[in-house]
């Protein structure tokens, strides 16, 4: 089903959601408040469908579904519809390995080659252990998704070089958990998905879940929806299309499940590894799993990473959490080990599942504690821009082009002649300009000593009168041949852009995230921090333009689109 315009799509989805109230047999002021928040966010984000479950240690308190599993057929999401849960699957892989550790068959402190003898990576550092992989501190690149779901995803890591000493630098790596999945396969002598099924899903009574999916499973699943463009920041109200379908069985994200089944998994976490029939994960090894070991962001000591799980300290409470993202599917769960409450949220398109899980947990904890329920958060308006007044001003490029911004309360406007065009927020100090003239990158405001002095749009650069730095920069002319739009025939990371700005080369994700590119003695460029394992090499130079960019082993080619 194609939606004809931005605003009409948002209105249409709001109407659809209103016609599709939550399916739930339970009712209470707390549940009604949560429902209102869910419907408010779904309307704001244009979310097609959502399934949610709330549980305590003893049993499921509520399963509710909202919106549509199939927009074209107007088929409502039902409690039995299955979603891809994405990276939430990592914790299942980790727990299965903990079970094997309890049996003396896996030791996270030993080199992973003890469990997967054919694994290799080019490295000058000590051998990589299971713990390094479980905590995303192995120095791995993020992905190798040009390879179909198979052992080859783990095997081709031998073509890459470790970016940092194991255990020293946190960098999220899907391919690291693919390696762990095949280690699980090697130890158990059967596919990792079967191991997870037998050791976790079946004992927990998760009868509607499985550790892989194929084309045969499509009828039992909701349709995952993606926005119209895959090469630029998403805008409010973009048309939705059915996401690309693929089969998957990797240890990093291959489980499909329902909200009700996932509530049973949350009870495993809330009960310290205990299932309906007793202890499924031995207490010692569950504690190892749930121990915070790595800091993803050293400035935030409340958020740690354990073995395939986030370990949080919030308001004096110990929580376990994770999110997941697939093509058209997003997941968030939050399990509070002190209050004994957990929430799982599954969606099939643009949404904010983490916001839902946090608010639902807050409401339920208030109800359980006899405290007043929290206020319903104000409805989100995508055109509300934080610190809009601080961003206002006129900025000029080295070529003499100007951009003028004006603020009015919480709105920021681009002034174009006698027009004032409201700009959509895209995060802190970032907005989306008019799609006809600023379609590909966010307009990013940059500060010096807290004062906004620059605005960038991809490779374009504008300064205000407060800017005091240099305005002319030099760089190797060969870099001009690398600038452009790069594509690959795979759907996870299908494209990126390379820009030059202020004499520096940058890698830019479809959403607008920029990472500096640093030339190495090998002729490759490192993408990101000095410890990053991501590398890109350009070749096939024709008429002054590189035609191929090899990013961490994946071959991208220059696109005909800008």
């Amino acid at each position: 089903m194609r939606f004809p315009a931005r605003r009409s799509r948002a209105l249409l989805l709001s109407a659809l959601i209103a016609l599709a109230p939550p399916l739930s047999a339970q009712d209470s002021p707390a549940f009604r408040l949560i429902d209102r928040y869910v419907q408010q966010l779904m309307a704001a984000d244009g979310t097609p469908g959502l399934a949610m479950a709330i549980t305590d240690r003893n049993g499921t308190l509520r399963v509710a579904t909202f919106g549509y599993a199939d927009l074209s057929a107007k088929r409502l999401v039902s409690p039995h519809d299955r979603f891809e849960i994405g990276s939430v699957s990592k914790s299942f892989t980790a727990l299965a390995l903990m079970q094997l550790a309890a049996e003396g068959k896996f030791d996270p402190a030993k080199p992973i080659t003890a469990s997967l003898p054919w694994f290799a990576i080019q490295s000058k550092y000590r051998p990589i252990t299971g713990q390094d992989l479980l905590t995303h501190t192995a120095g791995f690149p993020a992905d190798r998704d040009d390879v179909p779901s198979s052992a080859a995803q783990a095997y081709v890591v031998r073509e890459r070089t470790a970016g940092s000493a194991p255990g020293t630098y946190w960098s999220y790596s899907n391919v690291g958990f693919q390696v762990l999945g095949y280690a699980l396969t090697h130890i158990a002598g059967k596919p990792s998905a079967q191991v997870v099924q037998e050791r976790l899903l079946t004992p927990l009574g998760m009868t509607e879940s499985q550790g892989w999916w194929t084309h045969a499973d499509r009828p039992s699943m909701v349709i995952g929806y993606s926005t119209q463009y895959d090469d630029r920041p998403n805008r409010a109200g973009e048309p939705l299309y059915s996401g690309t379908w693929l089969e998957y069985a990797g240890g990093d994200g291959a489980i499909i499940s329902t909200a009700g089944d996932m509530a049973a998994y949350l009870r495993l976490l809330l009960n310290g590894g205990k299932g309906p029939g007793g202890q499924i994960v031995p207490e010692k090894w569950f504690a190892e799993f749930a121990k915070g070991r790595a800091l993803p962001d050293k400035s935030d000591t409340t958020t740690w990473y354990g073995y395939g799980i986030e370990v949080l300290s919030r308001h004096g409470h110990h929580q376990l959490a994770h999110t997941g993202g697939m093509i058209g599917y997003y997941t968030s769960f939050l399990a509070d080990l002190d209050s004994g409450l957990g929430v799982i949220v599954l969606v099939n398109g643009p949404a904010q599942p983490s916001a839902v899980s946090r608010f639902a947990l807050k409401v339920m904890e208030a109800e359980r504690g006899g405290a007043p329920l929290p206020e319903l958060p104000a409805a989100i308006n995508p055109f509300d821009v934080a610190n809009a007044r601080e961003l206002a001003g006129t900025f000029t490029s080295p070529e003499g082009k100007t951009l003028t911004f004006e603020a009015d309360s919480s709105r920021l406007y681009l002034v174009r002649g006698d027009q004032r065009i409201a700009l959509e927020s895209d995060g802190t100090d970032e907005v989306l300009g008019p799609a006809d003239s600023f379609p590909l990158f966010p307009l990013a405001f940059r500060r010096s000593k807290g004062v906004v002095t620059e605005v960038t749009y991809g490779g374009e650069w504008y300064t205000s009168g407060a800017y005091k730095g240099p305005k002319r920069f030099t760089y190797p002319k060969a870099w001009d041949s690398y600038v452009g739009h790069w594509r690959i025939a795979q759907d996870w990371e299908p494209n990126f852009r390379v820009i030059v700005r202020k004499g520096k080369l940058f890698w830019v994700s479809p959403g607008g995230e920029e990472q500096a590119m640093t030339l190495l003695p090998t002729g490759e460029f490192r993408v990101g921090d000095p410890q990053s394992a991501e590398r890109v090499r350009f070749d096939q130079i024709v008429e002054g333009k590189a035609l191929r960019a090899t990013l961490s082993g994946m071959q991208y080619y220059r696109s005909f689109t800008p």
Side-chain angles (χ1 to χ4, degrees):
M1 180 178 183
R2 180 168 180 169
F3 297 96
R6 293 178 55 198
R7 193 169 302 276
S8 62
R9 172 182 158 260
L11 292 173
L12 175 58
L13 282 176
S14 299
L16 292 177
I17 293 165
L19 292 171
L23 299 177
S24 173
Q26 306 96 344
D27 189 29
S28 73
F31 294 155
R32 289 195 295 271
L33 178 60
I34 293 168
D35 288 352
R36 287 173 62 196
Y37 184 62
V38 169
Q39 291 171 313
Q40 177 177 291
L41 284 185
M42 290 180 69
D45 297 331
T47 306
L50 182 149
M52 174 177 61
I54 302 170
T55 187
D56 62 13
R57 290 191 176 94
N58 300 315
T60 300
L61 303 175
R62 188 181 195 231
V63 173
T65 61
F66 305 75
Y68 288 82
D70 184 335
L71 287 169
S72 296
K74 294 185 174 56
R75 181 172 70 83
L76 300 178
V77 178
S78 83
H80 301 289
D81 276 320
R82 303 198 289 182
F83 294 72
E84 298 174 17
I85 70 168
S87 288
V88 172
S89 307
K90 289 179 172 64
S91 57
F92 287 79
T93 297
L95 284 171
L97 287 168
M98 294 303 97
Q99 292 172 318
L100 292 172
E103 299 167 13
K105 298 175 182 178
F106 174 73
D107 185 346
K110 287 186 176 180
I112 193 63
T113 49
S115 301
L116 190 64
W118 51 259
F119 168 78
I121 189 172
Q122 300 171 41
S123 176
K124 62 182 180 181
Y125 306 110
R126 69 161 171 80
I128 290 168
T129 66
Q131 176 164 303
D132 299 326
L133 293 168
L134 286 162
T135 57
H136 296 295
T137 59
F140 268 31
D143 293 295
R144 192 59 197 270
D145 290 322
D146 60 322
V147 179
S149 184
S150 68
Q153 288 180 309
Y155 185 85
V156 295
V157 174
R158 67 186 53 230
E159 301 172 0
R160 308 313 309 152
T161 301
S164 57
T168 65
Y169 176 71
W170 190 89
S171 182
Y172 197 84
S173 176
N174 289 311
V175 73
F177 267 80
Q178 291 162 9
V179 170
L180 288 168
Y182 286 103
L184 182 58
T185 294
H186 183 84
I187 297 167
K190 60 183 71 173
S192 62
Q194 184 179 345
V195 178
V196 167
Q197 190 84 37
E198 294 172 354
R199 287 179 170 267
L200 292 168
L201 303 183
T202 298
L204 289 172
M206 297 175 66
T207 58
E208 295 183 305
S209 305
Q210 63 190 56
W212 69 94
W213 70 82
T214 68
H215 295 301
D217 299 304
R218 294 186 77 170
S220 67
M221 298 174 64
V222 302
I223 294 175
Y225 290 93
S226 300
T227 51
Q228 178 176 354
Y229 294 101
D230 68 357
D231 67 340
R232 62 198 68 184
N234 292 334
R235 296 172 183 270
E238 271 192 21
L240 293 182
Y241 299 87
S242 176
T244 303
W245 177 265
L246 48 80
E247 299 180 311
Y248 204 68
D252 60 323
I255 292 176
I256 54 177
S257 189
T258 64
D261 269 14
M262 288 301 297
Y265 179 64
L266 293 187
R267 288 193 290 278
L268 175 78
L269 303 182
L270 294 170
N271 288 303
K274 187 179 296 184
Q279 201 73 31
I280 293 176
V281 182
E283 291 182 16
K284 172 190 172 181
W285 289 101
F286 184 86
E288 292 292 308
F289 159 81
K291 179 181 178 180
R293 300 172 182 274
L295 272 175
D297 180 354
K298 288 184 169 55
S299 67
D300 178 9
T301 57
T302 67
T303 302
W304 291 76
Y305 205 87
Y307 285 170
I309 194 83
E310 292 178 5
V311 183
L312 312 178
S313 176
R314 297 287 189 271
H315 311 295
H317 282 214
H318 182 197
Q319 299 175 342
L320 300 179
H322 215 286
T323 58
M326 302 298 283
I327 300 174
Y329 301 88
Y330 299 95
T331 303
S332 172
F333 80 77
L334 192 55
D336 191 298
L337 304 188
D338 291 294
S339 69
L341 290 165
V343 181
I344 178 74
V345 181
L346 308 166
V347 299
N348 64 335
Q352 300 178 65
S354 294
V356 174
S357 60
R358 288 193 299 267
F359 184 72
L361 183 64
K362 183 179 180 180
V363 171
M364 295 305 300
E365 288 182 340
E367 183 189 57
R368 282 289 176 99
L373 298 182
E375 294 292 326
L376 181 71
I380 295 172
N381 189 316
F383 293 93
D384 284 342
V385 177
N387 303 319
R389 295 188 184 279
E390 297 178 18
L391 308 182
T394 296
F395 302 82
T396 306
S397 74
E399 297 78 24
K401 182 180 176 181
T402 63
L403 296 177
T404 298
F405 302 91
E406 293 181 354
D408 179 5
S409 185
S410 62
R411 299 292 175 90
L412 187 70
Y413 299 87
L414 175 67
V415 179
R416 183 187 286 171
D418 58 357
Q419 289 183 306
R420 295 172 81 234
I421 304 168
L423 303 177
E424 181 180 339
S425 175
D426 193 47
T428 304
D429 284 358
E430 291 191 357
V431 297
L432 300 180
D436 62 348
S437 50
F438 297 95
L440 304 179
F441 308 97
L443 288 162
F445 294 80
R446 304 182 187 277
R447 298 174 182 260
S448 175
K449 298 180 180 179
V451 177
V452 173
T453 58
E454 306 169 64
V455 176
T456 62
Y457 173 75
E460 298 179 19
W461 176 58
Y462 305 79
T463 60
S464 71
Y467 176 78
K468 303 302 181 185
K471 293 190 176 182
R472 299 292 175 184
F473 305 90
T474 61
Y475 60 89
K477 293 305 293 180
W479 290 7
D480 287 334
S481 70
Y482 311 149
V483 171
H485 187 194
W486 300 91
R487 277 201 172 274
I488 191 173
Q490 59 104 333
D491 296 292
W492 299 100
E493 295 290 341
N495 66 100
F496 62 89
R497 287 182 171 85
V498 173
I499 63 171
V500 173
R501 190 178 64 241
K502 297 177 66 176
K504 296 180 180 179
L505 204 61
F506 294 91
W507 178 96
V508 187
S509 75
E513 176 195 8
E514 296 182 0
Q515 296 196 53
M517 298 173 62
T518 304
L519 182 62
L520 302 176
T522 59
E524 294 179 303
F525 289 86
R526 180 181 63 238
V527 179
D529 295 338
Q531 302 90 346
S532 170
E534 308 295 349
R535 302 286 186 270
V536 61
R537 179 186 293 274
F538 300 93
D539 62 2
Q540 297 183 355
I541 310 296
V542 175
E543 296 180 349
K545 297 289 186 183
L547 300 183
R548 180 170 65 181
T550 302
L551 174 65
S552 297
M554 298 179 285
Q555 294 185 350
Y556 290 71
Y557 293 88
R558 181 176 293 279
S559 174
F560 67 94
T561 58

